[in-house]
Amino acid sequence: YYEADCFAGCRNPYIPGNVPDPSMAQVKQRALKGEGLAERMEICKKVTEEFMEVLKGEAFSPKLMKEYFTAMCNDILNERKRIGGDWAIAAVTMTREMRDHIRSRLGPDLVFVVLDMEKEEVRKRVKARHHGEEQAVEMMEPIAKLCEPIGDDEENAVGVIVTTEMTREEVLNKILEAVN
């Protein structure tokens, strides 16, 4: 799958499907090099600075986020053209406006899966993923406050409710059921 956090970190965005913790595997991905890297680094630096403000509870700039998602979508489109196939892309898109922007770039076949879970469940899963680090949990809270649910009239978007007792495999199966 394509990990958007790797795009932001200018790392290889393809996370192997068999790693024990895919979201944490991104730190082990190789740094990218070559054509287009300077431009990617520039937009990703701006977005990283913006996210630092979001983590402090500030609002984000839709214009800057659209610029970032446009760059990421262009990369995805180039890669899909190069290697083909069906894709899963892991990304936090926060708002309907951002999802609509991404849809406009990637096309009508794109389906968003929006995971919905109780605040305590998010805390538990993030803390476990980050080996008990409370700082990682605290970083996610301002982001979670900005995330909008799927709109009633939003096409090609499904919600998946994740509960405490669900394993990763059960969450994946529920996602596959929702999109098929």
Side-chain angles (χ1 to χ4, degrees):
Y1 80 96
Y2 185 101
E3 175 59 61
D5 286 346
C6 286
F7 177 84
C10 297
R11 297 188 167 280
N12 175 0
Y14 302 109
I15 304 289
N18 62 348
V19 296
D21 193 347
S23 64
M24 295 304 293
Q26 64 185 285
V27 297
K28 296 178 181 169
Q29 294 295 96
R30 290 186 178 183
L32 295 176
K33 53 187 174 183
E35 186 179 327
L37 182 60
E39 294 84 8
R40 181 186 291 196
M41 289 175 75
E42 184 179 326
I43 183 62
C44 291
K45 180 178 183 281
K46 288 187 220 173
V47 167
T48 299
E49 290 168 358
E50 179 84 2
F51 250 85
M52 292 301 114
E53 296 303 310
V54 168
L55 295 176
K56 295 176 189 173
E58 301 295 323
F60 69 94
S61 163
K63 181 180 178 199
L64 179 60
M65 292 306 295
K66 284 181 181 177
E67 184 182 340
Y68 166 76
F69 282 125
T70 295
M72 185 178 74
C73 288
N74 289 343
D75 186 58
I76 290 167
L77 290 169
N78 288 335
E79 289 295 289
R80 282 181 65 193
K81 185 177 178 182
R82 184 176 71 85
I83 61 178
D86 293 328
W87 286 51
I89 303 162
V92 175
T93 54
M94 294 190 286
T95 66
R96 165 85 181 258
E97 181 181 5
M98 293 305 113
R99 292 190 297 270
D100 286 345
H101 177 73
I102 293 166
R103 264 189 210 95
S104 76
R105 306 291 303 169
L106 294 182
D109 292 337
L110 177 68
V111 176
F112 280 93
V113 177
V114 178
L115 301 180
D116 184 17
M117 57 187 96
E118 296 293 325
K119 184 178 177 179
E120 253 334 286
E121 179 61 15
V122 173
R123 291 182 60 80
K124 179 182 130 191
R125 287 178 183 257
V126 170
K127 196 170 187 176
R129 183 179 300 148
H130 290 270
H131 310 290
E133 289 182 30
E134 192 65 33
Q135 183 181 10
V137 174
E138 291 168 4
M139 279 180 47
M140 291 303 294
E141 288 177 350
I143 295 169
K145 288 178 184 174
L146 295 173
C147 290
E148 295 175 359
I150 297 169
D152 291 337
D153 63 337
E154 194 168 349
E155 293 184 21
N156 288 348
V158 296
V160 173
I161 297 172
V162 179
T163 61
T164 302
E165 62 277 353
M166 293 172 74
T167 65
R168 286 186 219 171
E169 291 76 21
E170 290 170 326
V171 173
L172 177 60
N173 287 335
K174 200 166 181 184
I175 290 168
L176 291 173
E177 284 175 19
V179 298
N180 291 327

Coordinates of all heavy atoms in Angstrom, one line a residue, residues 80-126:
R80 N 0.8 5.0 -10.5 CA -0.2 4.1 -11.0 C 0.0 3.9 -12.5 O -0.2 2.8 -13.0 CB -1.6 4.7 -10.7 CG -2.0 4.4 -9.3 CD -3.4 4.9 -9.0 NE -4.4 4.2 -9.8 CZ -5.7 4.6 -10.0 NH1 -6.1 5.7 -9.4 NH2 -6.5 3.9 -10.7
K81 N 0.3 5.0 -13.2 CA 0.6 4.9 -14.6 C 1.8 3.9 -14.9 O 1.8 3.1 -15.8 CB 0.8 6.2 -15.2 CG 1.0 6.3 -16.7 CD 1.2 7.7 -17.2 CE 1.4 7.7 -18.7 NZ 1.6 9.1 -19.2
R82 N 2.8 4.1 -14.0 CA 4.0 3.3 -14.2 C 3.9 1.8 -13.8 O 4.3 1.0 -14.6 CB 5.1 3.9 -13.3 CG 6.5 3.3 -13.4 CD 7.5 4.1 -12.5 NE 7.3 3.8 -11.1 CZ 7.8 2.8 -10.4 NH1 8.5 1.9 -11.0 NH2 7.6 2.7 -9.1
I83 N 3.2 1.5 -12.7 CA 3.1 0.1 -12.3 C 1.7 -0.5 -12.3 O 1.6 -1.7 -12.2 CB 3.7 -0.1 -10.9 CG1 3.0 0.7 -9.8 CG2 5.2 0.2 -10.9 CD1 3.5 0.5 -8.4
G84 N 0.6 0.3 -12.5 CA -0.7 -0.2 -12.6 C -1.3 -0.8 -11.3 O -0.7 -0.6 -10.2
G85 N -2.4 -1.5 -11.5 CA -3.0 -2.2 -10.3 C -4.0 -1.4 -9.5 O -4.2 -0.2 -9.8
D86 N -4.5 -2.1 -8.6 CA -5.4 -1.5 -7.6 C -4.6 -1.0 -6.4 O -3.6 -1.7 -6.0 CB -6.5 -2.5 -7.1 CG -7.5 -2.9 -8.2 OD1 -7.7 -2.0 -9.1 OD2 -7.9 -4.0 -8.2
W87 N -5.0 0.1 -5.8 CA -4.2 0.7 -4.8 C -5.0 0.9 -3.5 O -6.2 1.2 -3.5 CB -3.8 2.1 -5.2 CG -2.7 2.0 -6.3 CD1 -2.7 1.3 -7.4 CD2 -1.5 2.7 -6.2 NE1 -1.5 1.5 -8.1 CE2 -0.7 2.4 -7.4 CE3 -0.9 3.6 -5.3 CZ2 0.5 2.9 -7.7 CZ3 0.3 4.1 -5.6 CH2 1.0 3.8 -6.8
A88 N -4.3 0.8 -2.4 CA -4.8 1.3 -1.1 C -3.8 2.4 -0.6 O -2.6 2.2 -0.7 CB -4.8 0.1 -0.1
I89 N -4.4 3.5 -0.3 CA -3.6 4.7 0.1 C -4.0 5.0 1.6 O -5.2 5.3 1.8 CB -3.9 5.9 -0.8 CG1 -3.6 5.5 -2.2 CG2 -3.1 7.1 -0.4 CD1 -4.2 6.4 -3.3
A90 N -3.1 5.1 2.5 CA -3.4 5.4 3.9 C -3.0 6.9 4.1 O -1.8 7.3 3.9 CB -2.5 4.5 4.8
A91 N -4.0 7.7 4.4 CA -3.8 9.1 4.6 C -4.9 9.7 5.6 O -6.0 9.1 5.6 CB -3.8 9.8 3.3
V92 N -4.5 10.7 6.3 CA -5.5 11.5 7.0 C -5.9 12.6 6.2 O -5.1 13.5 5.8 CB -4.9 11.9 8.4 CG1 -5.9 12.8 9.1 CG2 -4.5 10.8 9.2
T93 N -7.2 12.7 5.8 CA -7.7 13.8 4.9 C -8.5 14.8 5.7 O -9.0 15.8 5.1 CB -8.4 13.2 3.7 OG1 -9.4 12.3 4.1 CG2 -7.4 12.5 2.8
M94 N -8.8 14.6 6.9 CA -9.5 15.5 7.8 C -10.9 16.0 7.4 O -11.8 15.8 8.2 CB -8.6 16.6 8.3 CG -7.5 16.2 9.1 SD -6.5 17.5 9.8 CE -5.7 18.2 8.5
T95 N -11.0 16.6 6.3 CA -12.3 17.3 6.0 C -12.9 16.8 4.6 O -12.2 16.3 3.7 CB -12.1 18.8 5.9 OG1 -11.3 19.2 4.8 CG2 -11.5 19.4 7.2
R96 N -14.2 17.1 4.5 CA -14.9 16.8 3.2 C -14.2 17.6 2.1 O -14.0 17.1 1.0 CB -16.3 17.2 3.4 CG -17.2 17.3 2.1 CD -17.7 16.0 1.7 NE -18.4 16.0 0.4 CZ -19.7 16.0 0.4 NH1 -20.5 15.9 1.4 NH2 -20.3 16.0 -0.8
E97 N -13.9 18.8 2.4 CA -13.2 19.7 1.3 C -12.0 19.0 0.8 O -11.7 19.0 -0.4 CB -12.9 21.1 1.9 CG -12.3 22.0 0.9 CD -12.0 23.4 1.5 OE1 -12.1 23.6 2.8 OE2 -11.5 24.2 0.8
M98 N -11.2 18.4 1.7 CA -9.9 17.8 1.3 C -10.2 16.5 0.5 O -9.6 16.2 -0.5 CB -9.0 17.5 2.4 CG -8.4 18.7 3.2 SD -7.5 19.8 2.1 CE -8.6 21.2 2.1
R99 N -11.2 15.7 1.0 CA -11.6 14.5 0.2 C -12.1 14.9 -1.2 O -11.8 14.2 -2.1 CB -12.7 13.7 1.0 CG -12.1 13.1 2.3 CD -13.0 12.1 3.0 NE -14.3 12.7 3.5 CZ -14.5 13.2 4.7 NH1 -13.5 13.3 5.6 NH2 -15.7 13.7 5.0
D100 N -12.9 15.9 -1.3 CA -13.4 16.3 -2.6 C -12.3 16.7 -3.5 O -12.3 16.4 -4.7 CB -14.5 17.4 -2.4 CG -15.8 17.0 -1.9 OD1 -16.1 15.8 -1.9 OD2 -16.6 17.8 -1.5
H101 N -11.3 17.4 -2.9 CA -10.2 17.9 -3.7 C -9.4 16.6 -4.2 O -9.0 16.6 -5.4 CB -9.3 18.8 -2.9 CG -8.0 19.2 -3.6 ND1 -8.1 20.1 -4.7 CD2 -6.7 18.8 -3.5 CE1 -6.8 20.2 -5.2 NE2 -6.0 19.4 -4.5
I102 N -9.2 15.7 -3.4 CA -8.4 14.5 -3.8 C -9.2 13.7 -4.8 O -8.6 13.2 -5.8 CB -8.1 13.6 -2.5 CG1 -7.1 14.4 -1.6 CG2 -7.6 12.2 -3.0 CD1 -7.0 13.8 -0.3
R103 N -10.5 13.6 -4.6 CA -11.4 12.9 -5.6 C -11.3 13.6 -7.0 O -11.2 13.0 -8.0 CB -12.8 13.0 -5.2 CG -13.4 11.9 -4.5 CD -14.9 12.0 -4.3 NE -15.2 11.3 -3.1 CZ -15.4 11.9 -1.9 NH1 -15.2 13.1 -1.8 NH2 -15.6 11.1 -0.9
S104 N -11.2 15.0 -7.0 CA -11.1 15.7 -8.3 C -9.8 15.4 -9.0 O -9.7 15.5 -10.2 CB -11.2 17.2 -8.0 OG -10.1 17.8 -7.5
R105 N -8.8 15.0 -8.2 CA -7.5 14.7 -8.8 C -7.3 13.2 -9.2 O -6.7 12.9 -10.2 CB -6.3 15.1 -7.8 CG -6.4 16.5 -7.3 CD -6.0 17.5 -8.3 NE -4.7 17.2 -8.9 CZ -4.2 17.8 -9.9 NH1 -4.9 18.7 -10.5 NH2 -3.0 17.5 -10.4
L106 N -7.8 12.3 -8.4 CA -7.6 10.9 -8.6 C -8.8 10.2 -9.3 O -8.6 9.1 -9.8 CB -7.4 10.2 -7.3 CG -6.1 10.6 -6.5 CD1 -5.9 9.7 -5.3 CD2 -4.8 10.4 -7.4
G107 N -9.9 10.9 -9.4 CA -11.0 10.3 -10.3 C -12.1 9.7 -9.5 O -12.0 9.4 -8.3
P108 N -13.2 9.3 -10.2 CA -14.4 8.9 -9.6 C -14.3 7.4 -9.0 O -15.2 7.1 -8.2 CB -15.4 8.9 -10.7 CG -14.6 8.8 -11.9 CD -13.3 9.4 -11.6
D109 N -13.3 6.7 -9.3 CA -13.2 5.3 -8.8 C -12.7 5.3 -7.4 O -12.7 4.2 -6.7 CB -12.3 4.4 -9.7 CG -13.0 4.2 -11.0 OD1 -14.2 4.3 -11.1 OD2 -12.3 3.9 -12.0
L110 N -12.2 6.4 -6.9 CA -11.6 6.5 -5.6 C -12.7 6.3 -4.5 O -13.7 6.9 -4.6 CB -10.9 7.9 -5.4 CG -10.3 8.1 -4.0 CD1 -9.1 7.2 -3.7 CD2 -9.9 9.6 -3.9
V111 N -12.4 5.5 -3.5 CA -13.3 5.3 -2.4 C -12.6 5.6 -1.1 O -11.5 5.1 -0.9 CB -13.8 3.8 -2.3 CG1 -14.7 3.6 -1.1 CG2 -14.6 3.4 -3.6
F112 N -13.2 6.5 -0.4 CA -12.6 6.8 0.9 C -13.2 5.9 2.0 O -14.4 5.7 2.0 CB -12.9 8.3 1.3 CG -12.0 9.3 0.7 CD1 -12.4 9.9 -0.5 CD2 -10.8 9.6 1.3 CE1 -11.6 10.8 -1.1 CE2 -10.0 10.6 0.7 CZ -10.3 11.1 -0.5
V113 N -12.3 5.4 2.9 CA -12.7 4.7 4.0 C -12.4 5.5 5.2 O -11.2 5.8 5.5 CB -12.0 3.3 4.1 CG1 -12.5 2.6 5.4 CG2 -12.3 2.5 2.9
V114 N -13.4 5.9 6.0 CA -13.2 6.8 7.1 C -13.4 5.9 8.4 O -14.6 5.4 8.6 CB -14.1 8.0 7.1 CG1 -14.0 8.9 8.3 CG2 -13.9 8.8 5.8
L115 N -12.4 5.8 9.1 CA -12.5 5.0 10.4 C -13.1 5.8 11.5 O -12.7 7.0 11.6 CB -11.1 4.4 10.8 CG -10.4 3.5 9.8 CD1 -9.1 3.1 10.3 CD2 -11.3 2.3 9.4
D116 N -14.0 5.3 12.2 CA -14.6 6.0 13.3 C -14.5 5.2 14.6 O -14.8 4.0 14.6 CB -16.1 6.2 13.0 CG -16.9 7.0 14.0 OD1 -16.2 7.7 14.8 OD2 -18.1 6.9 14.0
M117 N -13.9 5.8 15.6 CA -13.8 5.1 16.9 C -13.8 6.1 18.0 O -13.6 7.3 17.8 CB -12.5 4.3 16.9 CG -11.2 5.0 16.7 SD -9.8 3.9 16.6 CE -9.6 3.8 14.8
E118 N -14.2 5.6 19.1 CA -14.3 6.4 20.3 C -12.9 7.0 20.7 O -11.9 6.3 20.4 CB -14.8 5.6 21.5 CG -16.2 5.1 21.3 CD -17.3 6.2 21.3 OE1 -17.1 7.2 22.1 OE2 -18.2 6.0 20.6
K119 N -12.9 8.1 21.3 CA -11.7 8.8 21.7 C -10.8 7.9 22.5 O -9.6 7.8 22.3 CB -12.0 10.1 22.5 CG -10.8 10.9 22.9 CD -11.2 12.2 23.6 CE -10.0 13.0 24.0 NZ -10.4 14.2 24.7
E120 N -11.3 7.1 23.4 CA -10.5 6.2 24.3 C -9.9 5.1 23.5 O -8.8 4.7 23.7 CB -11.3 5.6 25.4 CG -11.1 6.2 26.8 CD -9.7 6.7 27.1 OE1 -8.7 6.0 27.2 OE2 -9.6 8.0 27.2
E121 N -10.6 4.7 22.4 CA -10.1 3.6 21.6 C -8.9 4.1 20.8 O -7.9 3.5 20.6 CB -11.2 3.1 20.7 CG -10.7 2.0 19.7 CD -10.2 0.7 20.4 OE1 -10.4 0.5 21.6 OE2 -9.5 0.0 19.7
V122 N -9.0 5.4 20.3 CA -7.9 6.0 19.5 C -6.7 6.1 20.4 O -5.6 5.7 20.1 CB -8.3 7.4 19.0 CG1 -7.1 8.1 18.4 CG2 -9.5 7.3 18.0
R123 N -6.9 6.6 21.7 CA -5.8 6.7 22.6 C -5.1 5.3 22.8 O -3.9 5.2 22.8 CB -6.3 7.2 24.0 CG -6.8 8.7 24.0 CD -7.2 9.1 25.3 NE -6.1 9.0 26.3 CZ -5.2 9.9 26.5 NH1 -5.1 11.0 25.7 NH2 -4.2 9.8 27.4
K124 N -5.9 4.3 23.0 CA -5.4 3.0 23.3 C -4.6 2.5 22.2 O -3.5 2.0 22.3 CB -6.6 2.0 23.6 CG -6.1 0.6 23.9 CD -7.3 -0.3 24.2 CE -7.2 -1.5 23.3 NZ -8.4 -2.3 23.2
R125 N -5.1 2.6 20.9 CA -4.4 2.0 19.8 C -3.1 2.8 19.4 O -2.1 2.3 19.1 CB -5.4 2.0 18.6 CG -6.4 0.9 18.7 CD -7.3 0.8 17.5 NE -8.3 -0.2 17.7 CZ -8.3 -1.4 17.1 NH1 -7.4 -1.6 16.2 NH2 -9.3 -2.2 17.3
V126 N -3.2 4.2 19.6 CA -2.0 5.0 19.3 C -0.9 4.7 20.3 O 0.2 4.6 20.0 CB -2.4 6.5 19.2 CG1 -1.1 7.3 19.2 CG2 -3.3 6.8 18.0

